[in-house]
């Protein structure tokens, strides 16, 4: 069973910073890539940033220059450093992983989601 556990969300004032973490655990053979998505009430889930196991990153225009995504392959952990936060960043942030796991019947390629962590930016 593969699980993604997120941490680091919370309440911060505008202009402040937060660092989100997402750790994948279980019978993981290979992580191909991971990403952060966010979703607010009444809105569709949107891409924040993605990163391959090789470190190639992609960002939504709204967060470029403010957010930095990184991955530690040895720890199966992805991070999102969020700086200069503004109220529009308030959302639930979800971790996603595209990975190959080990199963009783062989390797399995699948997509996994974390439980989400809340980020609130308010004065």
């Amino acid at each position: 069973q593969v699980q993604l556990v997120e941490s680091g969300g919370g309440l911060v004032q505008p202009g402040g910073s937060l660092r989100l973490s997402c750790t994948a655990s279980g019978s993981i053979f290979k992580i191909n890539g991971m990403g952060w998505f966010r979703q607010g009430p009444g809105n569709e889930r949107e891409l924040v940033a993605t990163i391959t196991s090789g470190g190639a990153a992609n960002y939504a225009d709204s967060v470029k220059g403010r957010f930095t995504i990184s991955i530690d392959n040895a720890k199966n952990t992805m991070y999102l450093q969020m700086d200069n936060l503004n109220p529009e960043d308030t959302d639930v942030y979800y971790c996603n992983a595209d990975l190959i796991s080990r199963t009783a019947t062989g390797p399995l390629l699948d997509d996994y989601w974390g439980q989400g962590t809340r980020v609130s930016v308010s004065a």
Side-chain angles (χ1 to χ4, degrees), residues 84-100:
N84 194 24
L85 287 161
N86 61 65
E88 292 185 348
D89 297 317
T90 296
D91 268 318
V92 178
Y93 285 70
Y94 296 91
C95 172
N96 175 266
D98 175 23
L99 57 83
I100 301 171

Side-chain angles (χ1 to χ4, degrees), residues 49-81:
T50 61
I51 188 167
T52 68
S53 61
N58 183 58
Y59 298 91
D61 288 340
S62 60
V63 307
K64 285 183 178 178
R66 300 189 298 120
F67 291 8
T68 303
I69 190 171
S70 61
I71 188 169
D72 186 335
N73 290 301
K75 297 180 179 180
N76 290 332
T77 298
M78 173 183 62
Y79 306 94
L80 185 67
Q81 178 66 43

Side-chain angles (χ1 to χ4, degrees), residues 16-39:
S17 298
L18 286 172
R19 187 173 187 247
L20 306 184
S21 299
C22 174
T23 298
S25 62
S27 299
I28 299 170
F29 174 73
K30 172 69 175 179
I31 293 178
N32 295 323
M34 301 183 76
W36 291 99
F37 297 75
R38 64 187 183 186
Q39 185 173 22

